[in-house]
Amino acid sequence: MPRIMKTVALVTLLLTAVFSALRYFFSLGVFLSLAITSGTIAYHFLMRLLVGLIFNAVMRNRADYNAAYFRQRPWEKKLYQALRVKNRKGKMPTYSPESFDPSLHSWDEIAQAMCQSELVHETIILLSFLPLLAAIPFGDFPVFFFTSLGGALFDSFFVIMQRFNRPRVVKMAQREKRNRAK
């Protein structure tokens, strides 16, 4: 997954430069739309990589999973059932699957990594709408809006997945701690 994300970021950044040059030389509106689209996609991928790096550098997969913020709300169970999250949970890509591997980490460490992952994706959701400001000088608001909305919705699935899975992982972490204390 890291390789794919870095490749997409680089390719779309190069495409942005190419389409921008074509727009400059040929003054065709289609090149502006293509430059905006590829530039926005490049932003979304680069931003995701940067947000993940910053959170890893600062938090190092350490979070208090018992904090009220990370606790599942009563209404969430019904939402997850309606969205059929249980049926989809094994189909989501993971940037760093080793962070969630119980053969490499304790359940406590995995629960903390899940909290950090949730924070990463929530930050990305917010930053997904930053490109809307570029619609002011460039126009083409629908391109900015739909790429931003698509990026935010995509990351919301990861937040949902973390929040859906965490209660079971926390129970396993608590059981693991009790067993060590014996």
Side-chain angles (χ1 to χ4, degrees), residues 69-82:
Y69 183 79
F70 294 115
R71 284 190 217 122
Q72 200 176 70
R73 309 298 185 268
W75 56 266
E76 286 182 84
K77 286 183 181 184
K78 290 179 184 174
L79 173 65
Y80 301 150
Q81 286 173 342

Side-chain angles (χ1 to χ4, degrees), residues 22-89:
L22 290 170
R23 166 72 172 143
Y24 178 78
F25 289 115
F26 297 109
S27 297
L28 293 174
V30 69
F31 291 129
L32 176 60
S33 290
L34 290 170
I36 289 170
T37 302
S38 58
T40 306
I41 292 169
Y43 163 78
H44 282 282
F45 276 86
L46 290 168
M47 176 264 296
R48 279 167 174 73
L49 291 167
L50 187 59
V51 168
L53 285 172
I54 291 168
F55 270 88
N56 275 337
V58 173
M59 292 184 71
R60 299 189 183 279
N61 282 337
R62 300 288 178 240
D64 180 7
Y65 55 82
N66 291 309
Y69 183 79
F70 294 115
R71 284 190 217 122
Q72 200 176 70
R73 309 298 185 268
W75 56 266
E76 286 182 84
K77 286 183 181 184
K78 290 179 184 174
L79 173 65
Y80 301 150
Q81 286 173 342
L83 295 173
R84 297 187 178 139
V85 174
K86 189 174 185 176
N87 299 338
R88 293 177 173 85
K89 70 180 190 176

Side-chain angles (χ1 to χ4, degrees), residues 8-9 11-17 19-20 32-48 127-135 138-152:
V8 170
V11 168
T12 54
L13 198 57
L14 292 172
L15 285 173
T16 303
F19 291 134
S20 296
L32 176 60
S33 290
L34 290 170
I36 289 170
T37 302
S38 58
T40 306
I41 292 169
Y43 163 78
H44 282 282
F45 276 86
L46 290 168
M47 176 264 296
R48 279 167 174 73
L127 293 175
S128 290
F129 292 99
L130 194 59
L132 291 176
L133 296 175
F138 291 108
D140 230 346
F141 181 81
V143 173
F144 287 107
F145 177 76
F146 287 114
T147 55
S148 292
L149 182 62

Side-chain angles (χ1 to χ4, degrees), residues 12 14 67 75 94 103 126 151 170 175 181:
T12 54
L14 292 172
W75 56 266
T94 304
S103 68
L126 293 174
V170 168
R175 187 178 311 134

